[in-house]
Amino acid sequence: MDGSFVPRNNIEEAILLLMILLRKVTLNRIEWDPSILVSGDLMILANQLEELLPGTIHRKERFYALALCYYGAGKNVEALDLLRKLLSNREDPRHVPSLLMDSKICCENFSVTKDPGVSFARMALENLDGKCNQLENMANFLLGVTLSAYSKLAISDAERAKRQSEALHTLETACKLSRMEDPVVLYHLSLEYAEQRKLDAALHYAKCIVKLEVGSNVKGWLLLSRVLSAQKRFLDAESIINAALDQTGKWDQGDLLRTKAKLQIAQGQLKSAIETYTQLLAVLQVHSKSFGSRNKLFKDKRDQIRNLEVEVWHDLAYVYISLSQWRDAEACLSKSRAIKLYSSTRCYAIG
């Protein structure tokens, strides 16, 4: 037809076909098919879901899909609002996926929500009642993580110990249900043991993570080295970091190098620590140049790099202070100020 759009490549043709199908769905000419909604931007996908006519998909399915979109786009408060609507008495208060997701968001945003999500994880377990091992594993895992966060709010030592004990029990249950094959569960179990100063058990599970992931995840290496550091085994911890650095690309070496510098400081090797921090700053400079000219998609990564760079300048300033190299310390703090104007850590160091 005159004025019609002619696709220039396969991607444009695919998008056009999906848009035609979506138009037919909204006009009730064909049945709803969730595979039609394909998008690389979750907020665009959310807008497409919101534009569907009432009755095209079930309200419960719409609320849950929208919550997933908002959560994926980093809009956690909006996602929680949708989940609470879905879990209200008017909708479906026993919807297990929503209960699990609500618990997950609460735990990850504990400082904002002020609710660790324990009750939602418990309700999910009650409603599952052994019907699905995978969901039961996830519910136990989330209950363990939320109880760990909840224990930090306890006023009495007895209450804190009770919550910590229950957190360990549920995390161990999740670990058994996953047959020791879920690195995320193993990570939080090791972390919980470490926080409770049960370092031998923490070390065992940290080693399991590195073995299971074949050293592909920086978080596993870092946890293992930090547990060794807590046992005052600084040389072993540093050798773990060196092994991780050998297997990791430069893009992922920031936290590894910072941990290595801290281990060198703990051993009194201040000059070696300065060299490691210098190496880390060079890596961060490359990162900043790579992301500096990119669009808003990389804003979070850019902010993360800037925050790490500020912390590194502060670390380096304290090393120079311990060596009584005052001018070098002041230079580091001025570098920090150029990146981030306000910082309580910098004010303390200057004082």
Side-chain angles (χ1 to χ4, degrees):
M1 292 182 292
D2 292 337
S4 61
F5 172 75
V6 180
R8 291 172 296 179
N9 52 51
N10 290 344
I11 294 176
E12 288 189 355
E13 186 174 359
I15 292 170
L16 180 61
L17 289 168
L18 291 168
M19 289 174 68
I20 292 169
L21 287 171
L22 190 60
R23 176 74 61 84
K24 290 186 176 183
V25 167
T26 56
L27 295 174
N28 291 324
R29 291 180 183 174
I30 61 173
E31 292 185 3
W32 160 251
D33 182 352
S35 63
I36 293 172
L37 286 176
V38 179
S39 173
D41 188 317
L42 289 169
M43 288 313 299
I44 293 175
L45 181 56
N47 292 335
Q48 294 283 357
L49 284 166
E50 289 171 346
E51 288 174 2
L52 292 175
L53 293 174
T56 306
I57 59 175
H58 195 277
R59 275 172 61 86
K60 181 166 63 177
E61 186 181 346
R62 184 198 292 259
F63 278 146
Y64 184 63
L66 279 171
L68 283 172
C69 289
Y70 280 117
Y71 172 68
K75 296 181 178 295
N76 297 311
V77 175
E78 290 85 347
L80 274 178
D81 288 341
L82 285 164
L83 290 170
R84 298 293 163 87
K85 287 180 181 178
L86 175 52
L87 293 170
S88 65
N89 291 328
R90 290 180 56 190
E91 299 294 337
D92 187 0
R94 301 181 65 182
H95 189 245
V96 172
S98 295
L99 288 168
L100 292 174
M101 189 177 171
D102 198 316
S103 178
K104 177 179 172 64
I105 294 174
C106 285
C107 184
E108 291 176 350
N109 301 273
F110 183 44
S111 60
V112 177
T113 62
K114 305 300 181 185
D115 177 4
V118 174
S119 58
F120 296 102
R122 288 193 197 280
M123 287 171 64
L125 270 176
E126 291 170 5
N127 292 323
L128 280 167
D129 195 24
K131 295 174 185 175
C132 176
N133 285 340
Q134 288 181 325
L135 286 176
E136 191 174 348
N137 171 38
M138 178 57 67
N140 274 295
F141 164 67
L142 287 172
L143 180 58
V145 174
T146 53
L147 280 167
S148 176
Y150 193 38
S151 67
K152 296 174 176 61
L153 296 179
I155 297 174
S156 66
D157 291 339
E159 185 65 27
R160 183 182 301 107
K162 180 183 176 182
R163 293 173 187 173
Q164 288 177 334
S165 176
E166 192 177 353
L168 272 181
H169 175 71
T170 51
L171 285 170
E172 285 171 347
T173 302
C175 200
K176 290 174 184 175
L177 287 170
S178 63
R179 299 178 182 178
M180 297 276 290
E181 294 177 352
D182 189 332
V184 178
V185 175
L186 286 169
Y187 180 87
H188 283 274
L189 180 57
S190 175
L191 191 63
E192 184 61 27
Y193 271 120
E195 288 186 353
Q196 296 187 33
R197 310 308 291 174
K198 298 175 181 179
L199 299 178
D200 290 337
L203 183 63
H204 168 71
Y205 288 111
K207 287 179 178 178
C208 289
I209 297 165
V210 174
K211 184 178 180 182
L212 182 64
E213 296 182 325
V214 200
S216 61
N217 192 339
V218 171
K219 287 179 68 177
W221 289 110
L222 285 170
L223 180 60
L224 178 56
S225 71
R226 286 166 181 169
V227 173
L228 288 167
S229 174
Q231 293 180 326
K232 306 296 183 184
R233 295 166 60 181
F234 300 122
L235 279 174
D236 291 336
E238 189 175 351
S239 67
I240 290 293
I241 293 294
N242 288 331
L245 288 168
D246 290 338
Q247 298 188 37
T248 308
K250 282 195 175 294
W251 291 99
D252 300 313
Q253 289 186 353
D255 288 328
L256 290 170
L257 286 169
R258 190 181 182 205
T259 302
K260 180 178 179 178
K262 286 180 177 293
L263 288 168
Q264 289 169 334
I265 292 169
Q267 297 171 79
Q269 301 169 4
L270 299 184
K271 290 185 178 180
S272 297
I274 291 172
E275 291 175 4
T276 304
Y277 277 128
T278 304
Q279 183 184 350
L280 173 52
L281 286 167
V283 172
L284 292 176
Q285 285 296 318
V286 174
H287 282 338
S288 298
K289 289 178 181 178
S290 299
F291 289 106
S293 59
R294 306 289 183 88
N295 59 23
K296 64 181 181 180
L297 290 175
F298 296 95
K299 183 179 182 301
D300 291 342
K301 185 68 176 177
R302 191 167 60 244
D303 291 344
Q304 183 183 344
I305 292 168
R306 286 166 63 87
N307 289 334
L308 179 57
E309 188 175 354
V310 168
E311 291 170 1
V312 170
W313 283 119
H314 293 163
D315 289 350
L316 197 51
Y318 278 111
V319 174
Y320 283 127
I321 288 170
S322 63
L323 292 170
S324 300
Q325 296 180 215
W326 313 114
R327 289 188 177 181
D328 290 330
E330 287 180 343
C332 291
L333 295 173
S334 66
K335 290 281 189 181
S336 158
R337 183 181 176 82
I339 301 169
K340 189 176 182 180
L341 187 59
Y342 300 106
S343 169
S344 56
T345 305
R346 184 175 60 249
C347 290
Y348 182 82
I350 291 170

